[in-house]
Amino acid sequence: MRRVVITGIGVVSSIGTGAAAFARALREGRSGARPIGAFDTTGFAHATGCEVVGFEPERWVRNVPLDEVGRAARFAIASARMALDDAALTEEELRRRPGLVSIGTTDGGSDDGERLAASYVHSGPESMDPVAARRLPASTLATGVARELGLSDVDVSTIATACAAGNYAIGNGFDAVRTGEADFALCGGADAMCRMTFTGFYRLGAVDPDGCRPFDVNRRGILTGEGGAVLLLEPLESALERGARVYAEILGYGLNCDAHHQVAPDGDSVRRCMELALADAGVGPGEVDLISAHGTGTKANDVTECGAIRGAFGDRPPRTVSVKSMLGHTMGAASALGAAACALGIEHGFIPPTINHTEKDPDCGIDCVPNTAVEAELRVVQNNALAFGGNNAVVVLGKR
Amino acid sequence: MGPVITAWSAISSCGVGSAAFEAGLVRPSPLDDESPGAKAFLASDFVVREALGTKGTGSMDRSSALAVGVVGELLPAVDVDARTGVVLGTTSGSSQTQLEFTRDSLTRRKPYFVNPASMPFALMNSAAGQAAIWHKLTGPNTTIAGGRMSGLSVLRYGARLLATGRSSGVVCGAVEEYSPTRAWLEHHRGATTVLGEGAAVVFLEPAGTARPPLAEVLGVATRVAVDGGAAGALAACLCRVLERAGAEAEDVRTVAVSAQEGELADAERTALARLRASVVDPAEVIGDVGAATGPFQVVTLLRSPGLAVATALDPDGTVGCVLLRVLS
């Protein structure tokens, strides 16, 4: 088995685009929250979200016709291009090697799907836009990256395991590079803001009117968000050979299914998933310096997840932060953005804060690094992801 | 020896279970809904409440029910442990459920007067998640939105889970519902095929378990036809799987095709021209089952001992094939 490292990071987010800007925003504890403009919010009492503003797709999507890829696919393509540039690799170099492109998503092309649904409902099914119908399938996220970069000899997959999809895609890329099936992986997640997710969480009373406040006693839920993050993974050996900057090593990952409830996470199962990941990484709980939690800011998630963390780590768990406090819940992109944040924290020696924090929820029982980033040397960091359907995935990153 | 297929099941217009599919009765149903087509191959024998009971199925949509049903048909034939996984392919999940959810938000007195119980079903991972919940399968549970590449994607992903020890055995397959929304989307994409509804799964596990293998998965290869040459890219995939297996093109005895019309069918024919294999097309029996096409190709090939190939082409530009050694 080969060792696998991250040598490139690409990010599109509500708090910064590109690895450097994203790292600065994390360190500053910036909030991406603003009034939602992506869809008509008439009739909702509140509609705050973490939207990406000022995104210029034509800067990144140069080869694939823009109308063939939806907003989430554009985020994926932009993130992949940035990761490639960040790794100081060219498309030509990647074309010569067998690779993998794996992009996680919750909603895929649902923003297009909603516009198609609106046509169906208001004007009849004959009036649906054929161009949008063609780009709707979520496979276009991963295939769009391959087409844009001219990569033919790649295993492409769009992984649709809802809000844990980013970690699934990173784990998939890690395994393919580790076993030698692929010599590089472009893996991560992307999602565009959509009405369906917002409405669903709103109906469940799980959208905070103002800001996302994970682990806070007054938390009221998620903010929906959007964005993308893609990591470039390669074998340690090739990274060293070409003198590449290594952000972090992927030490291992774990995945399992609660097989219990569609929307309520099962703490025991989440704990087992963390244990699987740590065992795969070959590290003990005592060696983990930081946990990047799923940390959605809903009542149920945070208590259950923190309970699972204490189950795996004991009563004095490592510092546990939620970057969703800054980015909102970016769905399939969430754990990819989380992994990018972990890698940047390892590289630059800091812990991103959990912002919007006023009063710790005693039932959570963790140090969430409230409001202000701290300097820290991080050797092992764990990135959690949970999803509807009981789909859990945990990635462990580190520097040896 | 590579990973092996040791069991399978299917739900389609032929009926519920493997025996019904083997009987292979071709029977498209007339449609009397608002669909653009006049007929479809519906899995009419699969009635959710009869098959799964009334408990827990109140809000369940058809896609998830098909997944729960087909996995339930398969499981009695295999051994399950804590690492048994489920890997299912899809095009976009249930487009009907997604449309209905959005329609409610757009047309009701308040935009949030939606049924919260239907929200998780609108997500693409619902079918795999529901199958795991219903049957208590706690291993890796992954949904791949592979469209028509789903059959190949789930086999390759499943094999990777086995190779890395993350799973002891994986239920690999795909589900595609029939619905007016899917029919309209396909219509607008230019498809003129007769749509079908179905779900098919195989059990993939390492060789050497208690169950005799039905087939060995010798290799999967896919490419993205970035220059538009789908036929050439598919031919390259075929070369690769044969070369890795140490086989020649003339050794392939059966090939299951996937594309029914248009450029993709032309490309598929061109790429397969040098094979002297007999050709089977499950769509003739069950219609165009979208993402489930690949798993149905695989289970169709299990009837034909010897080297067998299933090919796949998606309009998104991806092509590929799997090489199987079907055991007698």
Side-chain angles (χ1 to χ4, degrees):
Chain A
M1 294 280 185
R2 305 194 285 192
R3 291 173 65 182
V4 181
V5 294
I6 302 169
T7 56
I9 296 175
V11 168
V12 177
S13 84
S14 59
I15 62 170
T17 289
F22 184 58
R24 272 196 307 278
L26 291 170
R27 207 192 267 271
E28 289 167 10
R30 205 176 295 163
S31 168
R34 51 175 64 83
I36 291 175
F39 52 85
D40 180 13
T41 57
T42 307
F44 293 99
H46 57 84
T48 307
C50 297
E51 234 167 83
V52 174
V53 292
F55 176 66
E56 298 168 319
E58 57 283 351
R59 277 186 66 195
W60 317 101
V61 186
R62 300 169 205 154
N63 301 322
V64 176
L66 261 185
D67 67 358
E68 292 183 14
V69 283
R71 187 165 169 88
R74 294 172 185 185
F75 289 160
I77 290 170
S79 303
R81 272 211 175 280
M82 283 182 235
L84 195 59
D85 291 347
D86 192 46
L89 279 167
T90 64
E91 293 148 58
E92 290 72 27
E93 286 170 293
L94 292 194
R95 285 176 201 151
R96 290 198 290 267
R97 320 183 204 169
L100 173 142
V101 176
S102 195
I103 304 294
T105 191
T106 296
D107 295 309
S110 285
D111 53 333
D112 272 322
E114 287 159 7
R115 287 186 284 274
L116 288 163
S119 301
Y120 195 126
V121 170
H122 296 312
S123 317
E126 302 81 2
S127 67
M128 292 160 94
D129 174 12
V131 178
R134 277 195 288 275
R135 69 173 174 244
L136 180 64
S139 67
T140 54
L141 273 64
T143 314
V145 170
R147 288 176 63 205
E148 173 63 26
L149 301 176
L151 305 175
S152 183
D153 189 9
V154 280
D155 167 2
V156 288
S157 58
T158 298
I159 301 207
T161 43
C163 301
N167 265 359
Y168 276 76
I170 293 167
N172 187 31
F174 166 63
D175 277 349
V177 175
R178 177 151 81 153
T179 57
E181 281 182 82
D183 284 339
F184 71 90
L186 285 163
C187 49
D191 257 309
M193 198 78 137
C194 74
R195 183 185 178 97
M196 185 176 81
T197 319
F198 176 80
T199 308
F201 279 98
Y202 185 101
R203 179 69 180 78
L204 295 168
V207 176
D208 197 298
D210 309 311
C212 176
R213 298 174 268 189
F215 317 121
D216 193 290
V217 74
N218 296 312
R219 69 185 178 280
R220 292 174 65 183
I222 69 165
L223 290 186
T224 58
E226 64 177 359
V230 168
L231 309 179
L232 191 135
L233 309 184
E234 61 183 303
L236 174 65
E237 201 171 313
S238 78
L240 293 177
E241 258 172 38
R242 66 185 190 88
R245 170 193 44 202
V246 172
Y247 283 102
E249 180 172 354
I250 308 271
L251 300 176
Y253 98 113
L255 75 173
N256 72 350
C257 183
D258 295 352
H260 170 68
H261 193 277
Q262 257 182 321
V263 300
D266 177 54
D268 267 347
S269 171
V270 174
R271 173 184 54 76
R272 279 196 298 277
C273 191
M274 293 190 263
E275 290 167 353
L276 283 170
L278 293 179
D280 192 51
V283 301
E287 295 173 72
V288 176
D289 299 313
L290 173 70
I291 297 172
S292 163
H294 188 58
T296 57
T298 63
K299 293 278 181 205
N301 174 87
D302 293 3
V303 168
T304 306
E305 186 181 11
C306 289
I309 288 170
R310 288 198 309 275
F313 290 87
D315 287 336
R316 293 181 58 81
R319 286 181 280 199
T320 298
V321 300
S322 169
V323 293
K324 288 188 182 69
S325 60
M326 295 176 262
L327 296 161
H329 194 338
T330 55
M331 306 293 147
S335 46
L337 285 162
C342 291
L344 290 165
I346 291 169
E347 167 72 6
H348 299 300
F350 74 99
I351 298 178
T354 303
I355 67 165
N356 303 321
H357 200 79
T358 48
E359 188 182 347
K360 184 154 105 179
D361 181 352
D363 291 340
C364 290
I366 46 101
D367 172 2
C368 73
V369 188
N371 301 320
T372 310
V374 300
E375 305 300 311
E377 192 193 338
L378 303 172
R379 302 191 66 80
V380 180
V381 179
Q382 172 184 310
N383 186 49
N384 285 0
L386 284 58
F388 280 7
N391 287 167
N392 308 310
V394 174
V395 172
V396 181
L397 307 88
K399 204 146 210 172
R400 285 189 196 171
Chain B
M1 200 174 188
V4 294
I5 292 168
T6 56
W8 66 278
S9 196
I11 298 174
S12 68
S13 58
C14 296
V16 177
S18 50
F21 184 67
E22 292 294 28
L25 200 57
V26 181
R27 44 177 191 188
S29 315
L31 295 170
D32 55 2
D33 57 17
E34 56 185 3
S35 298
K39 58 182 180 172
F41 290 87
L42 303 179
S44 310
D45 289 353
F46 182 72
V47 180
V48 176
R49 291 186 170 206
E50 283 175 19
L52 308 179
T54 52
K55 188 169 179 287
T57 54
S59 302
M60 191 182 285
D61 69 7
R62 191 138 177 100
S63 284
S64 293
L66 284 164
V68 170
V70 78
V71 175
E73 291 292 321
L74 173 88
L75 287 181
V78 305
D79 294 314
V80 167
D81 65 25
R83 289 183 303 139
T84 303
V86 178
V87 181
L88 295 184
T90 184
T91 305
S92 298
S94 170
S95 45
Q96 187 68 27
T97 303
Q98 293 153 10
L99 178 111
E100 288 171 5
F101 190 89
T102 302
R103 183 185 59 202
D104 288 350
S105 175
L106 293 173
T107 57
R108 291 188 172 171
R109 195 160 52 76
K110 292 286 183 190
Y112 47 86
F113 286 175
V114 292
N115 177 9
S118 71
M119 183 198 179
F121 293 103
L123 301 179
M124 287 185 276
N125 71 336
S126 176
Q130 282 292 309
I133 290 167
W134 198 276
H135 301 294
K136 301 274 174 277
L137 301 173
T138 55
N141 184 281
T142 305
T143 303
I144 302 179
R148 303 187 75 86
M149 302 303 293
S150 290
L152 304 183
S153 297
V154 298
L155 286 176
R156 174 158 52 190
Y157 185 93
R160 193 171 288 151
L161 289 177
L162 297 177
T164 51
R166 304 194 189 280
S167 271
S168 54
V170 186
V171 178
C172 294
V175 180
E176 196 77 77
E177 69 180 10
Y178 176 84
S179 67
T181 304
R182 175 178 164 228
W184 278 107
L185 287 169
E186 292 299 342
H187 169 80
H188 286 298
R189 289 171 188 144
T192 57
T193 53
V194 178
L195 297 183
E197 172 179 65
V201 288
V202 301
F203 194 65
L204 190 70
E205 58 184 325
T209 64
R211 284 163 295 285
L214 305 173
E216 180 185 2
V217 179
L218 296 174
V220 174
T222 63
R223 294 181 80 85
V224 183
V226 289
D227 52 2
L234 181 54
C237 293
L238 199 55
C239 283
R240 180 175 287 184
V241 291
L242 288 169
E243 190 186 309
R244 285 188 180 162
E248 304 291 336
E250 52 265 34
D251 299 336
V252 177
R253 296 183 43 186
T254 319
V255 57
V257 295
S258 63
Q260 283 187 277
E261 56 178 22
E263 284 174 21
L264 295 183
D266 293 344
E268 191 169 44
R269 270 194 296 275
T270 305
L272 294 172
R274 70 193 181 98
L275 296 190
R276 281 175 292 175
S278 46
V279 176
V280 294
D281 181 358
E284 290 171 358
V285 185
I286 55 165
D288 178 354
V289 292
T293 301
F296 273 103
Q297 287 169 279
V298 169
V299 301
T300 302
L301 288 173
L302 295 178
R303 299 169 186 158
S304 312
L307 287 189
V309 164
T311 50
L313 305 92
D314 191 277
D316 75 1
T318 322
V319 300
C321 62
V322 56
L323 179 66
L324 304 173
R325 178 180 288 120
V326 179
L327 303 159
S328 42

